[in-house]
Amino acid sequence: MSRAPTIRRRPPGEPQALPATLSPVLRRVYAARGLRDPAQLALELKHLLPPDRLLGIEAAAAQLADAIAARKRIVIAGDYDADGATACAVAVLGLQALGATEVGHVVPNRFTMGYGLSPPLVDLAREAGAELLVTVDNGIASVAGIEHAHRLGLPVIVTDHHLAGPELPAAAAIVNPNQPGCPFPSKHLAGVGVMFYVLLALRARLRADGAFGCGNGPNLAELLDLVALGTVADVVKLDYNNRVLVQAGLQRIRAGRARPGLMALLEAAGRTPERISAADLGFVLGPRLNAAGRLDDMRRGIECLLAPDRESALPIAQELDRLNRERRGIEAQMRDDALALVADSEDVGVVVHEPDWHEGVVGLVASRVKDALHRPVIAFARAQERGMLKGSGRSIAGLHLRDALAAVDARHPGLITRFGGHAMAAGLSLPEEGLTAFRTVFDAQCRSMLDAEALAQVIDTDGELRGPEFAIDTAFEIEAAGPWGQGFPEPRFDGEFEVLDLRPVGKDGNHVRYRLKGPAGAINAVHFNGAETAVDEGRVRVVYQLAINRWQDRETLELRIDCLERA
């Protein structure tokens, strides 16, 4: 069912509003992303939005300040993905820096507890001595868990960024830019970003109370490497405020001032920090951290981030690297199974399941199938609870996945046992015998929400590079102009080239290296996973990113191909 994508050039925007000191390429690129205010080119921390507009943040800061003064044990309730792990580490480290003497953390087991602050996780926190419970990257939908905490006399502060359901939990304080009535201008903070803001508000509260004497208190910017990692790994939109956070974190990493655990993850991956980019956070560090939550226990990932030195961090980072390699093998087999299942499918809402699939990897499989088909996809695996399936879904622009599941639940009560998530990703559980019915109604719901235009796969580009722009200096400039990411995509261009030569590379020969002839003569190019669409001669139309190939102290211009077709 795979369809060839349409290549579409982004509208040019208004580059005349941007400084003439920028190159024409960057002016076009920025303008096409809606950047019209030159002030948004400045990414210094002083431009961060202030915390006080986050609804509930003053109440949260007051609760935490009182707990620190009373030397109460604060326990952080985390999550099993990279955003939850970094948010947990930021909470622990930040609270300790601000004077909390008793800080612990608990993380749900993906396979036995599921997502969020469930009653069993509350019990686990209570066993850990919690006198105040703080959720990170979860809690906005944990009505039952917080009710259970209240029955135990345990107050809960919720810090989260997910969409609220019809009922808010009765927490002591809720900090979430997406809760009803919150005036905070940026709705795209990741969970780790929300926790960082809570720490900023807590420091301001303690400072006003004279806790630091004549000083200003700890430098919380030391946590921004973790904030950057969680923000990028969670694929939230890089609006201006998030770009400020991510840029500050990247600068710390490049200067070698990141947490020992983060540096150890880079070392285990064979990367050096000096030129790390936002893409490296998302595709190198994020997957290694996530591997712990997918295949084992995210507590190992958090231990890595909290490790005080390289000696204690590196063995854990190497273990996470091994888990990530194992995850890749499992994912590849499941992806191939899934693509075979849908080879002849005409469904708009796609549902895939195999009895032996690993439930920790179904979200990645859904993502891969979604990319291949440009359809909303939910992949299911058997849950540890007998007779139940756990599913993870990924969506395309135009279909809000959580809303689609809510509509299915409203029209077919009891079919779905639990669900939650946001526009582009969601999770759910249902009885195994309900899978056939769910496949039918999910497809019908997606058909009702998506038109032909939304179902047409489109690749947006920044147009064609003109003669002198097709140069390594342009690649250097683009590299330095980040951070690029979700909602602020790295520039990619399109143009026609002549194929001079090609050769398959990679363990299975699924990547292709090309020698192409373009506006500046012959150039090397690489197309990862491009073997099936390889073209061995003639003219081709290519969508690509300008990249720098660094090898043995040499830097050369290279194209990273996203899409290639005969011209």
Side-chain angles (χ1 to χ4, degrees):
M1 196 173 72
S2 181
R3 296 164 174 81
T6 299
I7 299 171
R8 180 179 65 189
R9 293 180 176 176
R10 294 185 177 93
E14 300 176 13
Q16 63 271 19
L18 298 173
T21 51
L22 292 175
S23 74
V25 172
L26 268 190
R27 282 162 56 86
R28 296 199 307 270
V29 164
Y30 281 148
R33 283 148 187 75
L35 199 157
R36 292 176 177 80
D37 183 357
Q40 291 200 335
L41 296 173
L43 298 179
E44 292 87 356
L45 279 173
K46 65 182 180 181
H47 299 300
L48 268 185
L49 291 168
D52 54 9
R53 295 186 68 183
L54 275 163
L55 182 65
I57 201 165
E58 291 182 4
Q63 287 266 339
L64 288 166
D66 290 346
I68 291 172
R71 303 179 71 85
K72 290 183 177 180
R73 181 162 178 80
I74 304 169
V75 172
I76 311 303
D79 185 27
Y80 43 68
D81 69 358
D83 185 18
T86 53
C88 186
V90 162
V92 170
L93 294 166
L95 288 171
Q96 289 174 339
L98 289 166
T101 55
E102 292 285 333
V103 186
H105 64 276
V106 293
V107 184
N109 184 295
R110 175 193 291 268
F111 309 109
T112 60
M113 290 184 182
Y115 168 78
L117 185 65
S118 61
L121 188 62
V122 172
D123 290 337
L124 192 63
R126 193 57 152 172
E127 291 170 13
E131 297 173 280
L132 175 63
L133 189 56
V134 180
T135 73
V136 290
D137 192 33
N138 75 91
I140 196 67
S142 300
V143 175
I146 292 174
E147 285 179 354
H148 183 62
H150 281 175
R151 287 193 291 270
L152 297 176
L154 180 59
V156 180
I157 296 172
V158 168
T159 74
D160 200 353
H161 70 123
H162 294 94
L163 296 173
E167 179 184 358
L168 289 177
I174 299 176
V175 186
N176 181 339
N178 291 302
Q179 68 176 305
C182 182
F184 193 70
S186 170
K187 302 301 181 182
H188 304 289
L189 285 174
V192 67
V194 176
M195 188 63 228
F196 180 73
Y197 263 90
V198 169
L199 294 173
L200 292 177
L202 173 58
R203 184 179 62 181
R205 171 68 181 245
L206 294 173
R207 186 183 293 156
D209 291 344
F212 309 124
C214 297
N216 291 319
N219 179 15
L220 296 177
E222 292 178 358
L223 302 171
L224 284 170
D225 55 330
L226 299 179
V227 175
L229 172 54
T231 298
V232 174
D234 210 48
V235 203
V236 295
K237 182 178 180 181
L238 290 193
D239 62 7
Y240 177 61
N241 204 60
N242 276 341
R243 290 182 72 226
V244 171
L245 289 171
V246 171
Q247 179 70 0
L250 286 171
Q251 288 173 345
R252 291 195 65 82
I253 300 170
R254 290 166 184 159
R257 293 185 287 125
R259 290 290 308 171
L262 197 153
M263 299 296 279
L265 283 170
L266 281 172
E267 185 176 343
R271 301 297 182 98
T272 56
E274 290 80 12
R275 287 195 174 90
I276 191 172
S277 68
D280 294 317
L281 299 179
F283 296 109
V284 176
L285 297 184
R288 283 165 173 78
L289 194 54
N290 275 324
R294 294 190 185 282
L295 301 188
D296 188 15
D297 188 332
M298 185 48 94
R299 285 179 297 181
R300 291 298 281 160
I302 295 170
E303 284 176 34
C304 184
L305 299 179
L306 292 176
D309 49 49
R310 177 183 180 274
E311 288 69 29
S312 54
L314 188 57
I316 308 175
Q318 290 168 337
E319 179 186 347
L320 296 177
D321 185 64
R322 178 192 60 77
L323 282 172
N324 190 53
R325 291 194 301 272
E326 181 183 344
R327 184 272 307 167
R328 282 201 299 256
I330 295 170
E331 179 195 341
Q333 183 58 59
M334 289 172 58
R335 178 201 62 215
D336 292 346
D337 292 346
L339 291 173
L341 288 173
V342 300
D344 300 318
S345 173
E346 291 299 326
D347 288 350
V348 171
V350 177
V351 174
V352 289
H353 164 64
E354 284 286 2
D356 61 347
W357 279 357
H358 194 298
E359 68 172 271
V361 186
V362 286
L364 296 174
V365 171
S367 181
R368 301 297 180 261
V369 178
K370 181 266 297 181
D371 290 343
L373 304 183
H374 192 65
R375 297 287 186 269
V377 177
I378 297 179
F380 283 97
R382 278 182 173 157
Q384 290 202 2
E385 183 180 354
R386 187 176 178 84
M388 295 296 293
L389 297 177
K390 276 190 178 178
S392 185
R394 300 293 185 268
S395 193
I396 61 175
L399 185 130
H400 192 297
L401 191 53
R402 186 190 175 280
D403 286 355
L405 293 176
V408 168
D409 185 54
R411 291 171 183 164
H412 305 273
L415 179 60
I416 302 174
T417 305
R418 295 182 296 274
F419 72 93
H422 47 83
M424 304 307 289
L428 71 159
S429 298
L430 51 80
E432 201 163 352
E433 64 267 18
L435 180 63
T436 300
F438 177 79
R439 178 179 279 113
T440 300
V441 299
F442 180 67
D443 178 48
Q445 184 63 41
C446 291
R447 288 179 184 274
S448 71
M449 297 173 73
L450 291 166
D451 56 21
E453 183 178 350
L455 292 170
Q457 186 173 9
V458 174
I459 295 181
D460 287 314
T461 84
D462 293 288
E464 195 165 3
L465 288 175
R466 300 159 189 142
E469 297 172 344
F470 200 92
I472 196 168
D473 286 346
T474 305
F476 282 127
E477 186 177 44
I478 290 170
E479 183 179 71
W484 310 101
Q486 182 71 18
F488 201 81
E490 188 167 355
R492 56 183 175 184
F493 308 95
D494 69 89
E496 288 194 9
F497 298 81
E498 182 183 347
V499 176
L500 300 178
D501 185 32
L502 68 82
R503 58 186 174 91
V505 294
K507 181 179 177 182
D508 300 314
N510 54 332
H511 309 316
V512 182
R513 284 205 170 274
Y514 285 93
R515 188 75 172 159
L516 302 176
K517 184 179 180 181
I523 187 169
N524 292 326
V526 60
H527 191 184
F528 294 110
N529 298 308
E532 289 187 7
T533 58
V535 177
D536 59 3
E537 62 179 358
R539 294 193 66 77
V540 289
R541 188 179 184 192
V542 180
V543 176
Y544 62 90
Q545 295 177 358
L546 273 188
I548 303 162
N549 185 308
R550 293 182 169 95
W551 177 251
Q552 295 182 341
D553 298 325
R554 293 183 65 237
E555 295 176 322
T556 56
L557 185 65
E558 177 180 80
L559 306 189
R560 303 273 168 83
I561 296 174
D562 289 328
C563 175
L564 180 146
E565 61 187 20
R566 289 193 180 276

